[in-house]
Amino acid sequence: MQQGQATVAMRDLETGVLQCQGKGGVDSQPANLWQLLIRMVELYGRQGQFDAALRVAHDALKSAERISAKAGEARAYELLGEMVAGASTAHRTKAVQALRQVGDRQGQARLLLVLGAEAFGEGNTTLALDRLHTARDLARAIGWAEGAERAAKLATAILVLGVPLIDAV
């Protein structure tokens, strides 16, 4: 998306969110507001407006939690995991839990690959391998060969070399 298009898209999203939020308070907000907020987070991130992206990600999480939209909670936690240094593991773990509740095995596997690499980077080889084996098993169960291969390569690198393959994640 070009910069001019992104600016127009952001303005339209902001207008839509303001209209959805209205004057009736949280209870009058549409159930899918979290989806608009997630798009805003993504656009803010692409534009380098990280403070705004972080603020709106929290709003998206609250909106999704309000209606128990586990897919929305998962996506908000995933985005927060990308943005919040020091809390990324906690946010990604919550995203995996939400994805488990909605049955998104590929999403779980994808995040478990990242969590496995993070655990190894923190010196926890046992947790890293557990996460990677779970990611591999989930990927195999759904026929996601690329994911299973990434998990296997990363686990092998940890076991054999003692260092993760950065490209595997």
Side-chain angles (χ1 to χ4, degrees), residues 70-71 74 95-109 138 142:
K70 295 301 178 189
V96 169
Q97 292 167 350
L99 290 167
R100 187 174 295 122
Q101 290 179 337
V102 296
D104 183 347
R105 293 183 286 177
Q106 185 170 357
Q108 290 174 64
L138 285 167
I142 60 170

Side-chain angles (χ1 to χ4, degrees), residues 15-132:
T15 300
V17 167
L18 286 173
Q19 289 175 348
C20 287
Q21 289 174 331
K23 296 178 183 176
V26 172
D27 292 333
S28 68
Q29 294 175 3
N32 63 349
L33 177 62
W34 67 266
Q35 294 172 322
L36 293 174
L37 294 169
I38 291 293
R39 297 299 171 259
M40 286 180 69
V41 173
E42 293 167 348
L43 280 173
Y44 277 138
R46 285 187 199 127
Q47 294 175 340
Q49 298 180 39
F50 300 113
D51 289 340
L54 184 60
R55 177 183 45 77
V56 175
H58 284 287
D59 291 345
L61 178 59
K62 288 177 194 170
S63 179
E65 288 175 334
R66 179 179 60 83
I67 61 164
S68 298
K70 295 301 178 189
E73 290 177 35
R75 185 65 182 129
Y77 276 125
E78 182 178 359
L79 289 167
L80 286 167
E82 293 171 7
M83 292 186 286
V84 181
S88 63
T89 299
H91 288 306
R92 287 185 176 119
T93 300
K94 288 178 182 178
V96 169
Q97 292 167 350
L99 290 167
R100 187 174 295 122
Q101 290 179 337
V102 296
D104 183 347
R105 293 183 286 177
Q106 185 170 357
Q108 290 174 64
R110 185 176 41 78
L111 285 174
L112 285 167
L113 287 169
V114 175
L115 285 166
E118 284 180 354
F120 182 74
E122 294 167 358
N124 193 336
T125 302
T126 303
L127 181 59
L129 291 172
D130 180 59
R131 287 174 172 169
L132 293 171

